[in-house]
Amino acid sequence: MPLAKIVILNWNGVAHLRRYLPSVVAAAPSGVGVVVADNGSTDDSVEVLRREFPSVEVLTSDRNYGFAGGYNRALKQVEADYYVLLNSDVETPAGWLEPLLACLERHPDVAAVAPKLLSDTDRTMFEYAGASGGYIDYLGYPFCRGRILRTIEPDRGQYDDERDVFWVTGAAFCCRSAVFHALGGFDDDFFAHMEEIDLCWRMQLAGYRVRIVPQSVVCHLGGGTLTTDSPAKVFFNHRNNLAMLYKCAAPGQRFVAVLVRPWLDLLAAFSYLVQKRRANFCAVFRAWREFIRLRPALAAKRREIGKSRVPKPRLHIYKRSLLLRYLFGRRTFGNMME
């Protein structure tokens, strides 16, 4: 079995493939194959791949199953010890992958690792999607070393230490294939957004660690599928975050979230209304309606997760309120954690 395979999920991204795939192919170590899983594209992605990238293996799908479902279906066809999931808008320099694989080889209890993400449009800045490793607060709000809510820091080497984190980005996600399949992969029902955080949470509940390896650096464009704050993205972020909390959080954390989150989400909805973004306002309520509809299925998933849960999982959950401390001026990861 190959040690690793790089798998890129593509949906109507022919421009990204032409721009970024050459760097991925050039930087792939010897013996590491590159696979593009096309997620039902309606552009000429498949034709371009077969004509312009003959060394790349192409998998095709009958329709768009989203990030979660698309990867789950593709990875059933990929054999490797390690999966390297890469967005189609990521540029990879030479030597980026070796530190990630070395970390997994050194630490058998580490299930997933990721590189540091810099912005492709300004490479002095962290990139929103993952920066240098992710955390989550007690109410379920994710943040990163290098990005708190919308505040993004310049990269000055301040987060270059390799360490365990709560989640790593799906834009460049390297994991053990055996653990991925044993835990059921991504949650198909998420479709897109937060599926990697959900999987990282389940990995930790099962006794594994998740780690950031900043010695590896890639550049990510971001926003290639859904633009920031589009109604669809607002819907998926709210619904999937609630679903993740319901499935994975301990009873105490879930109880606090049930009391507080409805009010915070209501506040978020009305902030969109004040901004005259009615579609986003409605998306928050649609997310809650869908979450309530899915609760019986989520309860079944929670019971299934409980079967692999270790007695005392090591969870890097921030025990304070991210939003409250942000309002009081804690705008960087360093002072947020003080």
Side-chain angles (χ1 to χ4, degrees):
M1 184 181 293
L3 178 66
K5 281 198 176 180
I6 299 168
V7 186
I8 298 170
L9 189 67
N10 171 71
W11 180 70
N12 289 346
V14 66
H16 287 333
L17 293 173
R18 281 179 164 147
R19 163 70 179 82
Y20 294 99
L21 187 54
S23 75
V24 177
V25 173
S30 176
V32 174
V34 179
V35 180
V36 174
D38 188 76
N39 211 10
S41 291
T42 55
D43 65 4
D44 58 345
S45 290
V46 174
E47 291 79 6
V48 166
L49 284 166
R50 288 174 173 159
R51 183 174 65 250
E52 299 180 18
F53 301 95
S55 67
V56 172
E57 181 183 354
V58 180
L59 303 176
T60 58
S61 180
D62 60 328
R63 62 181 176 87
N64 181 7
Y65 289 94
F67 185 98
Y71 264 125
N72 285 345
R73 283 161 178 76
L75 295 179
K76 289 177 182 177
Q77 305 173 62
V78 176
E79 291 189 355
D81 293 314
Y82 304 124
Y83 294 144
V84 186
L85 312 186
L86 203 63
N87 277 16
S88 62
D89 57 351
V90 171
E91 183 174 305
T92 59
W96 78 280
L97 187 52
E98 287 85 344
L100 302 180
L101 299 178
C103 179
L104 290 170
E105 290 283 281
R106 286 196 311 270
H107 304 289
D109 63 336
V110 171
V113 295
K116 177 169 69 175
L117 258 69
L118 299 181
S119 170
D120 189 48
T121 56
D122 182 353
R123 299 187 179 191
T124 68
M125 302 294 291
F126 286 107
E127 206 280 315
Y128 180 94
S132 192
Y135 290 78
I136 197 168
D137 82 346
Y138 208 64
L139 294 173
Y141 293 101
F143 61 103
C144 304
R145 298 199 304 167
R147 189 268 294 175
I148 307 292
L149 299 180
R150 298 295 181 83
T151 302
I152 300 174
E153 298 178 51
D155 175 27
R156 301 190 182 96
Q158 69 271 42
Y159 306 124
D160 276 356
D161 56 309
E162 181 180 319
R163 63 160 66 178
D164 290 354
V165 291
F166 188 82
W167 60 274
V168 290
T169 178
F173 185 92
C174 183
C175 68
R176 297 182 186 277
S177 62
V179 176
F180 182 90
H181 291 298
L183 298 180
F186 297 119
D187 188 329
D188 274 9
D189 291 335
F190 277 38
F191 191 80
H193 295 291
M194 294 203 182
E195 59 284 297
E196 79 270 46
I197 305 178
D198 173 74
L199 178 57
C200 287
W201 200 338
R202 289 186 279 124
M203 286 174 169
Q204 291 166 89
L205 291 175
Y208 293 98
R209 293 188 290 150
V210 174
R211 200 159 176 85
I212 186 72
V213 184
Q215 292 73 33
S216 171
V217 182
V218 300
C219 296
H220 182 217
L221 179 63
T225 303
L226 292 175
T227 57
T228 301
D229 265 0
S230 70
K233 190 165 187 173
V234 169
F235 168 77
F236 285 127
N237 277 340
H238 279 266
R239 185 200 64 175
N240 294 351
N241 187 266
L242 293 167
M244 177 177 66
L245 282 168
Y246 193 82
K247 289 193 313 175
C248 300
Q253 184 183 3
R254 200 162 59 243
F255 177 75
V256 172
V258 164
L259 291 179
V260 180
R261 277 296 298 273
W263 301 105
L264 292 175
D265 285 1
L266 191 63
L267 183 63
F270 278 100
S271 74
Y272 287 127
L273 199 58
V274 169
Q275 299 168 48
K276 298 181 179 180
R277 301 165 79 179
R278 184 174 175 80
N280 287 18
F281 169 81
C282 295
V284 177
F285 290 95
R286 284 197 302 113
W288 268 92
R289 185 173 66 245
E290 182 70 3
F291 164 66
I292 292 169
R293 186 186 71 81
L294 290 173
R295 279 180 63 183
L298 293 170
K301 291 178 181 179
R302 187 173 71 230
R303 291 191 293 271
E304 191 64 29
I305 291 168
K307 294 178 182 178
S308 60
R309 183 184 178 119
V310 297
K312 293 183 179 180
R314 293 172 287 184
L315 298 171
H316 296 272
I317 295 175
Y318 185 58
K319 296 298 172 47
R320 300 180 180 181
S321 169
L322 177 75
L323 294 178
L324 189 61
R325 287 175 68 80
Y326 187 85
L327 289 173
F328 281 93
R330 306 281 183 158
R331 303 296 172 89
T332 68
F333 179 85
N335 62 33
M336 183 67 67
M337 303 301 282
E338 290 175 353

